[in-house]
Amino acid sequence: MSHLVIVGGSDAGISAALRSRELDSSTQVTLIVEDAFPNYSICGLPFYLSGEVPDYHQLAHRTHAEITDAGIDLLLEHTAQAIDPSEHQVTVVDGAKQLHQLSYDRLVLATGARSRRPHIEGLDLPGVFLLHSMEDSFQIQHYLTSHPVRSVLIVGGGYIGLEMADALTLRGLAVTLVEHGKSVLKTVDPSLGALVRSELERHGVVVHTGIGVQQIVPDEAELCVSGTGAYGARTDLVVVAVGVEPRTELAQALGIELGTQGAMRVSRTMATSIPDIFAAGDCVETWHRVTARSTYLPLGTTAHKQGRIAGENAVGSERLFAGTLGTQVVKVFDLVIARTGLDDQEAYVAGFDPLTVSETYWDHKMYYPGAQSVQIRLTGDRTTGRLLGAQMAGAVQTEVAKRIYTGTRKVDRSMR
Amino acid sequence: MSHLVIVGGSDAGISAALRSRELDSSTQVTLIVEDAFPNYSICGLPFYLSGEVPDYHQLAHRTHAEITDAGIDLLLEHTAQAIDPSEHQVTVVDGAKQLHQLSYDRLVLATGARSRRPHIEGLDLPGVFLLHSMEDSFQIQHYLTSHPVRSVLIVGGGYIGLEMADALTLRGLAVTLVEHGKSVLKTVDPSLGALVRSELERHGVVVHTGIGVQQIVPDEAELCVSGTGAYGARTDLVVVAVGVEPRTELAQALGIELGTQGAMRVSRTMATSIPDIFAAGDCVETWHRVTARSTYLPLGTTAHKQGRIAGENAVGSERLFAGTLGTQVVKVFDLVIARTGLDDQEAYVAGFDPLTVSETYWDHKMYYPGAQSVQIRLTGDRTTGRLLGAQMAGAVQTEVAKRIYTGTRKVDRSMR
């Protein structure tokens, strides 16, 4: 009986575990999870912090029982400390600091990402939080319920920053959002970013762009935030969400080759540069279908698909990861913004000769009751006429999400 | 200068006219329209009759000025009475019953469809209406505003019958729907039809299936409707919506070859069997992409695309109509039902070895605020594994429409 050891219990790790057992039930699968929350949706944290998901257990895609019933050995609150690839051994530390040696035949590294820590003084102060893990959200939740918090300043106008601005406004806080770039949501073009900004402001969020936050200093019960351009603000809470970076300490110690933005380099079979070690998810490079190159694009849907491929190949298959289109959808209050493929700048960098056009469309026939407009930007290649990417923005009712992405999720037995 | 004459001013005719002028502005284009409503959306009639579209002019996709500004000669309230293909002449009757001769180099027949008249006694009684044209809807609207109508009986549980049940309920009438088949919306499988029935009943519509209406008899101010199985009902108004049939009198007089369900046989260039005569829209057979055969599937989107091809080829191109997938979406109160491709029965008839599976999915992650379920049926071919078709049903918010069909419509200059 061969033994598959998987490090990491989020989307990629769980997918790898389930897929390997599905294909080969003779394989012993051990999943090492550093916290007590395997297969939780970290994408759902803003909805927990808004109060819309009252019980954090609802964020679990599966229960412990469902995972172990699939024949997976779950080692919760265990940390993989070292890996010896020549001996095929993993050194694991349990919650009581005891060391254990696990032998593996194949290994999947699904160590994920962590919040990027920007160069801001005061990041470790009480009331200042990064947001990536379940534990982060518990700390924020605890702080919010144990302190008289009325205002929050969010550093970063990307997906998480925007979702948190929405969530904490819904929770009744006065929200300020500070973004270093010239517009919010830099993953879409500035004209769509401007729509997002209007939507934030329409809901009372104060938005500052072009400001680099430099320092957070406590002053009585408040926090003083200062930044470039003589920026200054006082707030009760600071949430820093300026992106993520791959967690690759284990991989680096092993000598696994790294690539773009420090993510592990993997083949399209999700194999690393070390034999018998696969990797998947937010810790690895991602094959992009449009550029036919690797990039770093940490997304839950991608992690899930890569994990499946890693799990499948770890039990002897030779499947290739089909690659990502970088499809992303975010809702900010009543506005939905979606993108897929490349934008103009990305297309240019990838060596295309891009042309991007913008147009306003109706979501229904114009006479249709409640018809609303949708902004669409399309990027194509002048040389070949090939469609390279699309961006859209529209009210929730305009079904923008499903104009870009048609996926659905199966309702399983327990109908959670 | 060559002369293109187009008979019919709905989707196919207008598309043909606009496309031909777009490609060749030297072509003279004359559009013969039998009523005063070129390029009106007959799909929008239920929304006019519900009151949601208060002014019927809103149903016009374009104004007269926009059509004539494109260089199209509009002959409104003119009827093409006869065509002489050897002389390349059309005999036209104007509103004053005067005859005119028009010479053409190329001709596009876009004569559309008409309501099918079922074998029901009493169809011509006051208070009994078919619904297909603008004129039909004006007559219904006039009747509704000039009579004390409280109840309506709709014959036919297809798209139009269902939309009218929704529309007239919204208008405040007590609605009864009588369908000949065992379930409503026979274009989807009975399990989805059952969801539609529940949605109708949830909104107070009385639904009778398996009943063939045979007779309508006036009794005092009411209409007595009787049918198979000793069915009897009293109502103030009857709307009959049992489908459409192609209008091909002109084509038949010319000797144009007919095909499925009496629709004109056309090549994929939209050419008829007579030289220099093209045809498009609800009066022709439609090439189906999945079966690679012709069928009769009168839909506005198809008519539009076929019209473009006919117009393009009438000025010298050789474009092929790509074919239809039969994608259809209908909203009944708060439920959206969509389909594309083939269902099990159609697949069987087309010579496939079909398997249809049914599943319930979430529209969002299950924890997501307001997540709702979507019913999905997929039909595949057992022999090849090919996906042949899909059917879905879900609440409006589940974006079912855009899970099946991603189209949008450009907002033009006038932003109607």
Side-chain angles (χ1 to χ4, degrees), chain A residues 41 43-44 47 52-53 58-61 331 359-369 376 396 398-403 406-411 415-416, chain B residues 41 43-44 47 52-53 58-61 331 359-369 376 396 398-403 406-411 415-416:
Chain A
S41 172
C43 301
F47 306 103
E52 291 165 284
V53 174
Q58 293 175 262
L59 298 180
H61 294 310
K331 184 181 88 67
E359 197 49 90
T360 303
Y361 289 77
W362 291 109
D363 69 330
H364 284 81
K365 285 283 182 188
M366 54 208 170
Y367 62 76
Y368 193 85
I376 303 185
V396 171
T398 63
E399 305 182 71
V400 156
K402 292 302 162 210
R403 288 172 201 268
T406 57
T408 44
R409 286 172 189 84
K410 189 171 166 186
V411 173
M415 287 289 290
R416 283 166 318 232
Chain B
S41 172
C43 301
F47 307 102
E52 292 164 284
V53 174
Q58 293 175 262
L59 298 179
H61 295 311
K331 184 180 89 63
E359 197 49 90
T360 304
Y361 289 78
W362 291 108
D363 68 330
H364 284 82
K365 286 281 182 189
M366 54 208 170
Y367 62 75
Y368 193 86
I376 303 185
V396 170
T398 63
E399 307 183 66
V400 155
K402 292 302 161 207
R403 289 173 199 269
T406 58
T408 44
R409 288 175 187 83
K410 189 170 167 187
V411 173
M415 288 286 292
R416 283 165 317 230

Side-chain angles (χ1 to χ4, degrees), chain B residues 3-291:
Chain B
H3 188 202
L4 171 61
V5 173
I6 299 170
V7 183
S10 194
D11 288 335
I14 290 282
S15 293
L18 291 170
R19 185 61 176 159
S20 61
R21 286 287 304 172
E22 186 174 61
L23 293 178
D24 181 2
S25 59
S26 77
T27 295
Q28 184 193 349
V29 176
T30 303
L31 192 67
I32 302 167
V33 184
E34 65 181 358
D35 61 18
F37 309 105
N39 209 201
Y40 268 61
S41 172
I42 55 175
C43 301
L45 296 181
F47 307 102
Y48 167 57
L49 291 170
S50 72
E52 292 164 284
V53 174
D55 177 358
Y56 74 84
H57 292 98
Q58 293 175 262
L59 298 179
H61 295 311
R62 289 172 186 79
T63 62
H64 291 203
E66 285 174 304
I67 297 167
T68 53
D69 286 354
I72 296 161
D73 296 327
L74 263 183
L75 298 183
L76 299 184
E77 297 177 305
H78 280 60
T79 306
Q81 196 177 59
I83 294 163
D84 181 341
S86 56
E87 296 295 321
H88 280 56
Q89 289 236 327
V90 186
T91 307
V92 178
V93 186
D94 67 18
K97 307 278 183 199
Q98 295 295 307
L99 294 184
H100 305 268
Q101 295 296 326
L102 282 181
S103 294
Y104 68 83
D105 295 292
R106 297 285 173 86
L107 185 73
V108 174
L109 293 175
T111 45
R114 64 165 64 82
S115 296
R116 205 161 64 70
R117 284 176 71 89
H119 298 292
I120 298 175
E121 210 176 300
L123 283 186
D124 296 319
L125 288 170
V128 179
F129 298 94
L130 303 177
L131 176 60
H132 190 261
S133 66
M134 292 302 295
E135 184 55 34
D136 293 336
S137 70
F138 294 148
Q139 286 186 14
I140 296 175
Q141 178 75 346
H142 178 72
Y143 196 90
L144 284 169
T145 51
S146 60
H147 292 73
V149 175
R150 282 183 305 268
S151 62
V152 58
L153 187 145
I154 296 168
V155 182
Y159 282 68
I160 307 301
L162 294 172
E163 289 186 333
M164 284 304 291
D166 179 330
L168 296 180
T169 299
L170 196 67
R171 193 173 172 133
L173 304 190
V175 177
T176 299
L177 187 132
V178 183
E179 160 61 39
H180 186 266
K182 285 186 185 164
S183 62
V184 297
L185 198 58
K186 285 177 290 183
T187 47
V188 295
D189 289 340
S191 64
L192 300 190
L195 296 178
V196 177
R197 183 184 185 133
S198 298
E199 184 70 5
L200 289 166
E201 290 173 343
R202 195 166 74 84
H203 287 83
V205 176
V206 176
V207 180
H208 297 292
T209 51
I211 289 164
V213 171
Q214 296 167 316
Q215 195 183 46
I216 307 165
V217 176
D219 180 25
E220 314 245 321
E222 287 188 312
L223 295 161
C224 294
V225 180
S226 56
T228 56
Y231 180 76
R234 298 177 72 85
T235 185
D236 296 328
L237 183 81
V238 174
V239 174
V240 178
V242 296
V244 300
E245 57 192 19
R247 292 183 60 185
T248 55
E249 290 77 4
L250 269 178
Q252 284 182 268
L254 271 169
I256 285 176
E257 200 181 331
L258 302 186
T260 315
Q261 293 185 46
M264 277 180 252
R265 183 153 286 166
V266 285
S267 68
R268 287 181 63 196
T269 61
M270 308 313 294
T272 68
S273 59
I274 306 253
D276 297 327
I277 303 185
F278 296 82
D282 292 357
C283 57
V284 306
E285 285 190 342
T286 293
W287 182 255
H288 198 291
R289 292 181 78 150
V290 180
T291 62

Side-chain angles (χ1 to χ4, degrees), chain B residues 378-389:
Chain B
L378 292 177
T379 298
D381 181 36
R382 291 175 202 259
T383 310
T384 60
R386 181 179 172 197
L387 179 64
L388 299 173

Side-chain angles (χ1 to χ4, degrees), chain A residues 68 187 317 389 404:
Chain A
T68 55
T187 47
S317 298
I404 289 273

